[in-house]
Amino acid sequence: MRIMAVTMAFLSIMLLSSSANALERFAGLADGSDENLKAVCQDYMVNSFLKNDPELFFHLLPKSLTSREERLEKKWYEGHLKRFGSEKLTEYDVFEMEDEFTEKLYKGHNIKRIRIKYKAGAMEKVRRSSCGFEQFEDNRWYLAQKP
């Protein structure tokens, strides 16, 4: 069973990182298992957030944010520059992820959140945050909180 979970997580990462052009914006995820969401959070933090590539971010957003797409894209680059500096980054100085998710119900939607710590680039301190995912009426999981 453990091997299957690891294989599913690996396949999810490979699928999401194989081609940024293949990701549909505002599509979310069908698989909301802890293993898959943890793998997606790690993939997002390393291949999207750190490397300043917003494609996975937009893939994980709910359709309700399509009207804000242009503004979000502009803010993405400004936020990255402010947080990490102008140096091109490929790895974190510090990256830790908790083993377990916290789960709650908010306005009838399931929420899963996993805590993370990270530090890279121009950051002076380790930053604490979390990857949060929310299940919508279409039973797909979307990013509920950007770290």
Side-chain angles (χ1 to χ4, degrees), residues 31-44:
D31 181 3
S33 67
D34 289 355
E35 294 84 12
N36 188 54
L37 294 180
K38 193 171 186 178
V40 169
C41 178
Q42 173 122 12
D43 187 38
Y44 168 77

Side-chain angles (χ1 to χ4, degrees), residues 52-95:
N52 201 15
D53 180 1
E55 287 308 306
L56 180 56
F57 170 69
F58 281 103
H59 175 74
L60 296 172
L61 290 179
K63 288 176 178 46
S64 60
L65 294 177
T66 54
S67 63
R68 296 182 177 165
E69 184 173 6
E70 189 175 310
R71 181 174 173 265
L72 288 169
E73 200 150 357
K74 179 182 177 193
K75 291 284 187 184
W76 172 274
Y77 294 107
E78 291 172 359
H80 188 273
L81 184 63
K82 181 179 175 183
R83 176 166 288 133
F84 295 115
S86 58
E87 178 184 332
K88 185 173 179 154
L89 302 173
T90 58
E91 64 184 355
Y92 286 98
D93 300 325
V94 174
F95 184 79

Side-chain angles (χ1 to χ4, degrees), residues 37 93 110 116 138:
L37 294 180
D93 300 325
N110 291 320
I116 56 175
D138 61 359

